[in-house]
Amino acid sequence: MSVRTKIKTIISSDKVDYSTTVKGWVRTFRNNQFLALNDGSTIKTLQVVVDRENTSEDILKRINTGAAIAATGKVVASQGAGQKVELQAESVQILGDADPEKYPLQPKKHSLEFLREIAHLRFRTNTFGAIFRIRHSVAFAIHQFFNERGFVYLHTPIITGSDAEGAGEMFQVTTLDLAAVPKSEEGDIDFKQDFFNKQTNLTVSGQLEAELGALALSDVYTFGPTFRAENSNTSRHLAEFWMIEPEMAFADLTDDMNLAEDMLKYVIKYCLDKHQDDLEFLEQRLTKEESAKPANERSPMPLREKLQFCIENDFERLTYTEAIKILMNSKPNKKKKFQFVIEEWGADLQSEHERYLVEKHFKKPVILTDYPKDIKAFYMRMNKDDKTVRAMDILFPGIGEIVGGSQREERLDVLLKRMKDFDIPEHEMEWFLDTRRFGTCEHAGFGLGFERLILFITGMANIRDVIPFPRYPGSAEF
Ligand code: 4AD
Ligand code: MG
């Protein structure tokens, strides 16, 4: 392999008058001379000036949008506007052709819907290049954040026999022959003959296993794929998404909220520091996109200002009970403008309510705490009122719920009672209950939806556009 310099390295330096080779994919080629080359290392393209006198007809014809090429020459100060440096090519080599009659990504605006259908090629657009570079950095910053704080990265199982959320919306994992499912004498499916000798599914959350880790290692986190077979065809739900789940021993709900707020701010700041070019592009994209919308549907701030605002301001913290009061007294509730009008305390909050609180009422990220026990999971710590639990959800502008967490019920007797209420069989949860039997302690954690955070940072509107190959009802392409 010849020595090759990445375009980001060339463009971000003032160095000129040296020879090198660049490799990448052609974006455009004007006048048989000016070639815009992108290699994915940056959103910017490098202008390669082709020596058209000394380049063969055949090569010139094959420099088409999408082709992979190598160019060798001298990096010089650019005469043209728009770039500081360019490459004066002495030779151009075609590495991989792209037939202009067939290559679907011609240099014009494509709709996001169309690009989703060619998700295998959409990485090559400016928008998706920016999104996936940022996605990488968000993942990296999350690991760095936890590492700096002494958290242990724990790999919890993907295939599991438990249903952590009690959600019942799981993908089954089986090797049974579906055309001839073995039955027991009672006529039930005989899972004893299945691969694991029991019924298994893809995990919906690594939390319960993370709790086991925290009650020995103090601070742990998971970062892995999770799966939900909920039939939610929305711009906020995926059937396969990534979740970050920290869990801390000797910590209560306030520690949990502080950790989540610190983490979100840390990661957003990291992206602002590292990705000015990508964010500037996404910001302009969003502004253009929103200019077609009525003024009240546009974001109140440009993308980077919104991110900066989020870092600089404390999240608003209030209880579910306080939030319900605000919502019941709100205009859209009184005028029955909400799709789900809130009638009384105890109602589950829909995304329209969450977004009202964040976008209209507080105009900043909000943390809601102490939800009614009936609308939250069995493992959340019961409050003294016997009506609410130590839950917290973080709500973000444009997104709604981005984080869900709680202080955990560490008291064995209370937990057993809660499991009974939820019809969770005790014998299946002995391993979980052991942590409460032996050395139980106060502990807390949360789950951050990775793609929802990427949505917020990139200003994209649909969660299917921030994961390389989205899985949702009716679609598992690629
Ligand atoms: O609120 P959830 O269901 O919480 C849990 O799973 C807990 N076990 C977390 C914990 O305490 N360790 O999910 C957590 C987050 C949500 O706030 C949301 O951001 C995201 O995961 N999420 C989804 N993201 C994309 N597609 C879906 N179908 C999602 N469901 C949840
Ligand atoms: Mg939740």
Side-chain angles (χ1 to χ4, degrees), residues 3 21 32 51-52 62 66 79 96 142 151 176 225 244 251 259 275 285 318 329 332 413-414 428 436 438 442 452:
V3 180
T21 296
N32 263 353
D51 180 358
R52 60 180 166 189
R62 292 165 63 198
Q79 261 98 67
I142 288 170
F151 281 64
L176 290 179
I244 295 92
L259 181 76
H275 286 282
R285 191 200 148 273
L318 71 158
N329 286 322
D413 53 334
V414 184
E428 280 179 19
R436 276 60 172 177
F438 311 115
E442 194 172 68
R452 292 200 186 168

PDB file of all heavy atoms in Angstrom, residues 3 21 32 51-52 62 66 79 96 142 151 176 225 244 251 259 275 285 318 329 332 413-414 428 436 438 442 452:
ATOM      1  N   VAL A   3       1.912   5.168   0.596  1.00  0.00           N
ATOM      2  CA  VAL A   3       1.646   6.085   1.696  1.00  0.00           C
ATOM      3  C   VAL A   3       0.503   7.005   1.263  1.00  0.00           C
ATOM      4  O   VAL A   3       0.521   7.554   0.166  1.00  0.00           O
ATOM      5  CB  VAL A   3       2.901   6.921   2.014  1.00  0.00           C
ATOM      6  CG1 VAL A   3       2.603   7.857   3.167  1.00  0.00           C
ATOM      7  CG2 VAL A   3       4.075   6.015   2.335  1.00  0.00           C
ATOM      8  N   THR A  21       0.007  11.249  -1.569  1.00  0.00           N
ATOM      9  CA  THR A  21      -1.069  10.564  -2.287  1.00  0.00           C
ATOM     10  C   THR A  21      -2.338  10.657  -1.451  1.00  0.00           C
ATOM     11  O   THR A  21      -2.277  10.525  -0.226  1.00  0.00           O
ATOM     12  CB  THR A  21      -0.703   9.081  -2.509  1.00  0.00           C
ATOM     13  OG1 THR A  21       0.442   9.029  -3.343  1.00  0.00           O
ATOM     14  CG2 THR A  21      -1.848   8.305  -3.149  1.00  0.00           C
ATOM     15  N   ASN A  32     -13.298  18.849 -16.599  1.00  0.00           N
ATOM     16  CA  ASN A  32     -12.208  17.887 -16.745  1.00  0.00           C
ATOM     17  C   ASN A  32     -10.974  18.296 -15.945  1.00  0.00           C
ATOM     18  O   ASN A  32      -9.854  17.959 -16.293  1.00  0.00           O
ATOM     19  CB  ASN A  32     -11.804  17.732 -18.220  1.00  0.00           C
ATOM     20  CG  ASN A  32     -12.487  16.521 -18.823  1.00  0.00           C
ATOM     21  OD1 ASN A  32     -13.140  15.753 -18.114  1.00  0.00           O
ATOM     22  ND2 ASN A  32     -12.339  16.349 -20.117  1.00  0.00           N
ATOM     23  N   ASP A  51      -4.348  17.308 -14.040  1.00  0.00           N
ATOM     24  CA  ASP A  51      -3.549  17.807 -15.167  1.00  0.00           C
ATOM     25  C   ASP A  51      -4.160  17.243 -16.455  1.00  0.00           C
ATOM     26  O   ASP A  51      -3.779  16.182 -16.935  1.00  0.00           O
ATOM     27  CB  ASP A  51      -2.105  17.332 -14.965  1.00  0.00           C
ATOM     28  CG  ASP A  51      -1.193  17.786 -16.088  1.00  0.00           C
ATOM     29  OD1 ASP A  51      -1.700  18.435 -17.038  1.00  0.00           O
ATOM     30  OD2 ASP A  51      -0.002  17.482 -16.017  1.00  0.00           O
ATOM     31  N   ARG A  52      -5.107  17.974 -17.024  1.00  0.00           N
ATOM     32  CA  ARG A  52      -5.888  17.363 -18.101  1.00  0.00           C
ATOM     33  C   ARG A  52      -5.091  17.184 -19.387  1.00  0.00           C
ATOM     34  O   ARG A  52      -5.450  16.374 -20.223  1.00  0.00           O
ATOM     35  CB  ARG A  52      -7.193  18.116 -18.353  1.00  0.00           C
ATOM     36  CG  ARG A  52      -7.034  19.547 -18.744  1.00  0.00           C
ATOM     37  CD  ARG A  52      -8.409  20.175 -18.960  1.00  0.00           C
ATOM     38  NE  ARG A  52      -8.239  21.625 -19.003  1.00  0.00           N
ATOM     39  CZ  ARG A  52      -9.215  22.487 -19.002  1.00  0.00           C
ATOM     40  NH1 ARG A  52     -10.455  22.079 -18.940  1.00  0.00           N
ATOM     41  NH2 ARG A  52      -8.972  23.777 -19.049  1.00  0.00           N
ATOM     42  N   ARG A  62     -13.407   8.294 -16.759  1.00  0.00           N
ATOM     43  CA  ARG A  62     -13.803   7.424 -15.636  1.00  0.00           C
ATOM     44  C   ARG A  62     -13.799   8.150 -14.287  1.00  0.00           C
ATOM     45  O   ARG A  62     -14.128   7.560 -13.256  1.00  0.00           O
ATOM     46  CB  ARG A  62     -12.888   6.193 -15.593  1.00  0.00           C
ATOM     47  CG  ARG A  62     -13.137   5.277 -16.801  1.00  0.00           C
ATOM     48  CD  ARG A  62     -12.017   4.276 -16.974  1.00  0.00           C
ATOM     49  NE  ARG A  62     -11.899   3.366 -15.853  1.00  0.00           N
ATOM     50  CZ  ARG A  62     -10.810   2.636 -15.596  1.00  0.00           C
ATOM     51  NH1 ARG A  62      -9.738   2.743 -16.371  1.00  0.00           N
ATOM     52  NH2 ARG A  62     -10.792   1.821 -14.578  1.00  0.00           N
ATOM     53  N   GLY A  66     -18.708   9.135  -7.364  1.00  0.00           N
ATOM     54  CA  GLY A  66     -18.806   7.824  -6.721  1.00  0.00           C
ATOM     55  C   GLY A  66     -17.626   6.916  -6.977  1.00  0.00           C
ATOM     56  O   GLY A  66     -17.427   5.933  -6.264  1.00  0.00           O
ATOM     57  N   GLN A  79      -5.402  28.801  -5.224  1.00  0.00           N
ATOM     58  CA  GLN A  79      -5.707  30.109  -5.790  1.00  0.00           C
ATOM     59  C   GLN A  79      -7.202  30.433  -5.648  1.00  0.00           C
ATOM     60  O   GLN A  79      -7.582  31.565  -5.474  1.00  0.00           O
ATOM     61  CB  GLN A  79      -5.344  30.141  -7.289  1.00  0.00           C
ATOM     62  CG  GLN A  79      -4.006  30.791  -7.554  1.00  0.00           C
ATOM     63  CD  GLN A  79      -2.926  29.728  -7.709  1.00  0.00           C
ATOM     64  OE1 GLN A  79      -2.945  28.970  -8.677  1.00  0.00           O
ATOM     65  NE2 GLN A  79      -2.010  29.651  -6.757  1.00  0.00           N
ATOM     66  N   GLY A  96     -11.756   2.177  -8.397  1.00  0.00           N
ATOM     67  CA  GLY A  96     -13.041   1.492  -8.558  1.00  0.00           C
ATOM     68  C   GLY A  96     -13.990   2.396  -9.314  1.00  0.00           C
ATOM     69  O   GLY A  96     -14.243   3.522  -8.880  1.00  0.00           O
ATOM     70  N   ILE A 142     -18.714   8.620  25.864  1.00  0.00           N
ATOM     71  CA  ILE A 142     -19.421   7.936  26.950  1.00  0.00           C
ATOM     72  C   ILE A 142     -18.462   6.995  27.686  1.00  0.00           C
ATOM     73  O   ILE A 142     -18.377   6.995  28.917  1.00  0.00           O
ATOM     74  CB  ILE A 142     -20.651   7.177  26.403  1.00  0.00           C
ATOM     75  CG1 ILE A 142     -21.735   8.185  26.017  1.00  0.00           C
ATOM     76  CG2 ILE A 142     -21.174   6.160  27.413  1.00  0.00           C
ATOM     77  CD1 ILE A 142     -22.899   7.602  25.237  1.00  0.00           C
ATOM     78  N   PHE A 151     -15.870   3.740  36.573  1.00  0.00           N
ATOM     79  CA  PHE A 151     -16.915   2.747  36.324  1.00  0.00           C
ATOM     80  C   PHE A 151     -16.335   1.572  35.534  1.00  0.00           C
ATOM     81  O   PHE A 151     -15.482   1.772  34.664  1.00  0.00           O
ATOM     82  CB  PHE A 151     -18.072   3.347  35.503  1.00  0.00           C
ATOM     83  CG  PHE A 151     -19.025   4.185  36.306  1.00  0.00           C
ATOM     84  CD1 PHE A 151     -18.608   5.362  36.931  1.00  0.00           C
ATOM     85  CD2 PHE A 151     -20.367   3.805  36.450  1.00  0.00           C
ATOM     86  CE1 PHE A 151     -19.496   6.136  37.665  1.00  0.00           C
ATOM     87  CE2 PHE A 151     -21.260   4.574  37.177  1.00  0.00           C
ATOM     88  CZ  PHE A 151     -20.829   5.732  37.797  1.00  0.00           C
ATOM     89  N   LEU A 176     -35.927 -24.281  17.829  1.00  0.00           N
ATOM     90  CA  LEU A 176     -36.964 -25.281  17.584  1.00  0.00           C
ATOM     91  C   LEU A 176     -37.430 -25.192  16.128  1.00  0.00           C
ATOM     92  O   LEU A 176     -37.425 -24.103  15.537  1.00  0.00           O
ATOM     93  CB  LEU A 176     -38.166 -25.046  18.508  1.00  0.00           C
ATOM     94  CG  LEU A 176     -37.968 -25.331  19.996  1.00  0.00           C
ATOM     95  CD1 LEU A 176     -39.247 -25.012  20.772  1.00  0.00           C
ATOM     96  CD2 LEU A 176     -37.560 -26.787  20.233  1.00  0.00           C
ATOM     97  N   PRO A 225     -26.501  -3.461  22.542  1.00  0.00           N
ATOM     98  CA  PRO A 225     -27.771  -3.449  21.826  1.00  0.00           C
ATOM     99  C   PRO A 225     -28.900  -4.014  22.677  1.00  0.00           C
ATOM    100  O   PRO A 225     -28.679  -4.933  23.477  1.00  0.00           O
ATOM    101  CB  PRO A 225     -27.504  -4.342  20.614  1.00  0.00           C
ATOM    102  CG  PRO A 225     -26.419  -5.255  21.048  1.00  0.00           C
ATOM    103  CD  PRO A 225     -25.599  -4.520  22.066  1.00  0.00           C
ATOM    104  N   ILE A 244     -27.198   2.680  27.107  1.00  0.00           N
ATOM    105  CA  ILE A 244     -26.126   2.814  28.089  1.00  0.00           C
ATOM    106  C   ILE A 244     -26.805   2.741  29.449  1.00  0.00           C
ATOM    107  O   ILE A 244     -27.719   3.521  29.727  1.00  0.00           O
ATOM    108  CB  ILE A 244     -25.396   4.167  27.939  1.00  0.00           C
ATOM    109  CG1 ILE A 244     -24.674   4.239  26.587  1.00  0.00           C
ATOM    110  CG2 ILE A 244     -24.397   4.386  29.071  1.00  0.00           C
ATOM    111  CD1 ILE A 244     -25.480   4.854  25.492  1.00  0.00           C
ATOM    112  N   ALA A 251     -25.837   4.695  46.293  1.00  0.00           N
ATOM    113  CA  ALA A 251     -26.255   5.917  45.598  1.00  0.00           C
ATOM    114  C   ALA A 251     -27.772   5.997  45.615  1.00  0.00           C
ATOM    115  O   ALA A 251     -28.466   4.978  45.548  1.00  0.00           O
ATOM    116  CB  ALA A 251     -25.760   5.890  44.160  1.00  0.00           C
ATOM    117  N   LEU A 259     -25.491  12.147  38.023  1.00  0.00           N
ATOM    118  CA  LEU A 259     -24.650  11.394  37.088  1.00  0.00           C
ATOM    119  C   LEU A 259     -25.164  11.561  35.654  1.00  0.00           C
ATOM    120  O   LEU A 259     -24.394  11.824  34.728  1.00  0.00           O
ATOM    121  CB  LEU A 259     -24.632   9.907  37.463  1.00  0.00           C
ATOM    122  CG  LEU A 259     -23.759   9.031  36.548  1.00  0.00           C
ATOM    123  CD1 LEU A 259     -22.274   9.231  36.869  1.00  0.00           C
ATOM    124  CD2 LEU A 259     -24.123   7.548  36.661  1.00  0.00           C
ATOM    125  N   HIS A 275     -16.445  18.421  16.771  1.00  0.00           N
ATOM    126  CA  HIS A 275     -17.176  18.291  15.503  1.00  0.00           C
ATOM    127  C   HIS A 275     -17.771  19.585  14.991  1.00  0.00           C
ATOM    128  O   HIS A 275     -18.884  19.582  14.448  1.00  0.00           O
ATOM    129  CB  HIS A 275     -18.273  17.223  15.649  1.00  0.00           C
ATOM    130  CG  HIS A 275     -17.728  15.834  15.673  1.00  0.00           C
ATOM    131  ND1 HIS A 275     -17.325  15.173  14.544  1.00  0.00           N
ATOM    132  CD2 HIS A 275     -17.485  15.007  16.701  1.00  0.00           C
ATOM    133  CE1 HIS A 275     -16.856  13.985  14.866  1.00  0.00           C
ATOM    134  NE2 HIS A 275     -16.950  13.851  16.180  1.00  0.00           N
ATOM    135  N   ARG A 285     -28.266  22.490   7.490  1.00  0.00           N
ATOM    136  CA  ARG A 285     -29.230  21.557   6.923  1.00  0.00           C
ATOM    137  C   ARG A 285     -30.583  21.699   7.634  1.00  0.00           C
ATOM    138  O   ARG A 285     -31.631  21.804   7.014  1.00  0.00           O
ATOM    139  CB  ARG A 285     -28.684  20.137   7.150  1.00  0.00           C
ATOM    140  CG  ARG A 285     -29.400  19.103   6.414  1.00  0.00           C
ATOM    141  CD  ARG A 285     -29.186  17.716   7.007  1.00  0.00           C
ATOM    142  NE  ARG A 285     -30.407  17.021   6.766  1.00  0.00           N
ATOM    143  CZ  ARG A 285     -31.448  17.044   7.570  1.00  0.00           C
ATOM    144  NH1 ARG A 285     -31.385  17.647   8.731  1.00  0.00           N
ATOM    145  NH2 ARG A 285     -32.549  16.440   7.239  1.00  0.00           N
ATOM    146  N   LEU A 318     -38.331  18.379  38.808  1.00  0.00           N
ATOM    147  CA  LEU A 318     -39.598  18.464  39.535  1.00  0.00           C
ATOM    148  C   LEU A 318     -40.260  17.098  39.594  1.00  0.00           C
ATOM    149  O   LEU A 318     -39.878  16.185  38.858  1.00  0.00           O
ATOM    150  CB  LEU A 318     -40.540  19.489  38.902  1.00  0.00           C
ATOM    151  CG  LEU A 318     -41.178  19.186  37.554  1.00  0.00           C
ATOM    152  CD1 LEU A 318     -42.436  20.021  37.370  1.00  0.00           C
ATOM    153  CD2 LEU A 318     -40.214  19.465  36.419  1.00  0.00           C
ATOM    154  N   ASN A 329     -53.311  22.384  34.109  1.00  0.00           N
ATOM    155  CA  ASN A 329     -53.645  23.802  33.976  1.00  0.00           C
ATOM    156  C   ASN A 329     -53.200  24.403  32.639  1.00  0.00           C
ATOM    157  O   ASN A 329     -53.365  25.592  32.405  1.00  0.00           O
ATOM    158  CB  ASN A 329     -52.973  24.606  35.101  1.00  0.00           C
ATOM    159  CG  ASN A 329     -53.675  24.366  36.427  1.00  0.00           C
ATOM    160  OD1 ASN A 329     -54.905  24.250  36.468  1.00  0.00           O
ATOM    161  ND2 ASN A 329     -52.908  24.252  37.497  1.00  0.00           N
ATOM    162  N   PRO A 332     -53.288  23.642  26.179  1.00  0.00           N
ATOM    163  CA  PRO A 332     -53.685  22.515  25.311  1.00  0.00           C
ATOM    164  C   PRO A 332     -54.510  21.459  26.045  1.00  0.00           C
ATOM    165  O   PRO A 332     -55.322  20.777  25.424  1.00  0.00           O
ATOM    166  CB  PRO A 332     -52.352  21.943  24.823  1.00  0.00           C
ATOM    167  CG  PRO A 332     -51.292  22.579  25.635  1.00  0.00           C
ATOM    168  CD  PRO A 332     -51.831  23.846  26.178  1.00  0.00           C
ATOM    169  N   ASP A 413     -38.312  -7.538  51.448  1.00  0.00           N
ATOM    170  CA  ASP A 413     -39.756  -7.751  51.654  1.00  0.00           C
ATOM    171  C   ASP A 413     -40.594  -6.863  50.724  1.00  0.00           C
ATOM    172  O   ASP A 413     -41.579  -7.307  50.140  1.00  0.00           O
ATOM    173  CB  ASP A 413     -40.133  -7.530  53.126  1.00  0.00           C
ATOM    174  CG  ASP A 413     -39.651  -6.173  53.650  1.00  0.00           C
ATOM    175  OD1 ASP A 413     -38.650  -5.646  53.108  1.00  0.00           O
ATOM    176  OD2 ASP A 413     -40.275  -5.627  54.575  1.00  0.00           O
ATOM    177  N   VAL A 414     -40.163  -5.612  50.563  1.00  0.00           N
ATOM    178  CA  VAL A 414     -40.926  -4.706  49.698  1.00  0.00           C
ATOM    179  C   VAL A 414     -40.833  -5.178  48.244  1.00  0.00           C
ATOM    180  O   VAL A 414     -41.821  -5.186  47.513  1.00  0.00           O
ATOM    181  CB  VAL A 414     -40.398  -3.256  49.821  1.00  0.00           C
ATOM    182  CG1 VAL A 414     -41.260  -2.314  49.009  1.00  0.00           C
ATOM    183  CG2 VAL A 414     -40.345  -2.821  51.283  1.00  0.00           C
ATOM    184  N   GLU A 428     -38.132 -17.589  39.304  1.00  0.00           N
ATOM    185  CA  GLU A 428     -37.307 -17.220  38.146  1.00  0.00           C
ATOM    186  C   GLU A 428     -36.318 -16.110  38.480  1.00  0.00           C
ATOM    187  O   GLU A 428     -35.432 -15.807  37.691  1.00  0.00           O
ATOM    188  CB  GLU A 428     -38.210 -16.724  36.999  1.00  0.00           C
ATOM    189  CG  GLU A 428     -38.847 -17.856  36.233  1.00  0.00           C
ATOM    190  CD  GLU A 428     -39.758 -17.352  35.123  1.00  0.00           C
ATOM    191  OE1 GLU A 428     -39.623 -16.171  34.723  1.00  0.00           O
ATOM    192  OE2 GLU A 428     -40.601 -18.138  34.679  1.00  0.00           O
ATOM    193  N   ARG A 436     -30.462  -8.915  47.363  1.00  0.00           N
ATOM    194  CA  ARG A 436     -31.198  -8.298  48.468  1.00  0.00           C
ATOM    195  C   ARG A 436     -31.097  -9.146  49.729  1.00  0.00           C
ATOM    196  O   ARG A 436     -31.328  -8.652  50.841  1.00  0.00           O
ATOM    197  CB  ARG A 436     -32.684  -8.142  48.099  1.00  0.00           C
ATOM    198  CG  ARG A 436     -33.032  -6.899  47.295  1.00  0.00           C
ATOM    199  CD  ARG A 436     -32.337  -6.787  45.980  1.00  0.00           C
ATOM    200  NE  ARG A 436     -32.876  -5.672  45.193  1.00  0.00           N
ATOM    201  CZ  ARG A 436     -32.411  -5.304  44.021  1.00  0.00           C
ATOM    202  NH1 ARG A 436     -31.389  -5.931  43.473  1.00  0.00           N
ATOM    203  NH2 ARG A 436     -32.956  -4.295  43.374  1.00  0.00           N
ATOM    204  N   PHE A 438     -28.259 -10.881  50.527  1.00  0.00           N
ATOM    205  CA  PHE A 438     -26.881 -10.847  51.023  1.00  0.00           C
ATOM    206  C   PHE A 438     -26.252  -9.496  50.716  1.00  0.00           C
ATOM    207  O   PHE A 438     -25.967  -9.204  49.563  1.00  0.00           O
ATOM    208  CB  PHE A 438     -26.060 -11.970  50.379  1.00  0.00           C
ATOM    209  CG  PHE A 438     -26.737 -13.318  50.437  1.00  0.00           C
ATOM    210  CD1 PHE A 438     -27.136 -13.967  49.276  1.00  0.00           C
ATOM    211  CD2 PHE A 438     -26.997 -13.929  51.665  1.00  0.00           C
ATOM    212  CE1 PHE A 438     -27.759 -15.204  49.331  1.00  0.00           C
ATOM    213  CE2 PHE A 438     -27.625 -15.167  51.724  1.00  0.00           C
ATOM    214  CZ  PHE A 438     -28.021 -15.810  50.559  1.00  0.00           C
ATOM    215  N   GLU A 442     -28.447   0.496  49.292  1.00  0.00           N
ATOM    216  CA  GLU A 442     -29.026   1.516  48.437  1.00  0.00           C
ATOM    217  C   GLU A 442     -28.287   1.519  47.098  1.00  0.00           C
ATOM    218  O   GLU A 442     -27.057   1.503  47.073  1.00  0.00           O
ATOM    219  CB  GLU A 442     -28.779   2.845  49.157  1.00  0.00           C
ATOM    220  CG  GLU A 442     -29.540   4.015  48.655  1.00  0.00           C
ATOM    221  CD  GLU A 442     -29.330   5.211  49.607  1.00  0.00           C
ATOM    222  OE1 GLU A 442     -28.198   5.734  49.670  1.00  0.00           O
ATOM    223  OE2 GLU A 442     -30.301   5.599  50.267  1.00  0.00           O
ATOM    224  N   ARG A 452     -31.435   8.221  20.716  1.00  0.00           N
ATOM    225  CA  ARG A 452     -32.170   9.462  21.028  1.00  0.00           C
ATOM    226  C   ARG A 452     -31.189  10.592  21.321  1.00  0.00           C
ATOM    227  O   ARG A 452     -31.440  11.746  20.972  1.00  0.00           O
ATOM    228  CB  ARG A 452     -33.132   9.230  22.187  1.00  0.00           C
ATOM    229  CG  ARG A 452     -34.254   8.286  21.757  1.00  0.00           C
ATOM    230  CD  ARG A 452     -35.460   8.373  22.631  1.00  0.00           C
ATOM    231  NE  ARG A 452     -36.426   7.343  22.233  1.00  0.00           N
ATOM    232  CZ  ARG A 452     -37.480   7.001  22.932  1.00  0.00           C
ATOM    233  NH1 ARG A 452     -37.734   7.620  24.080  1.00  0.00           N
ATOM    234  NH2 ARG A 452     -38.296   6.067  22.505  1.00  0.00           N
TER     235      ARG A 452
END
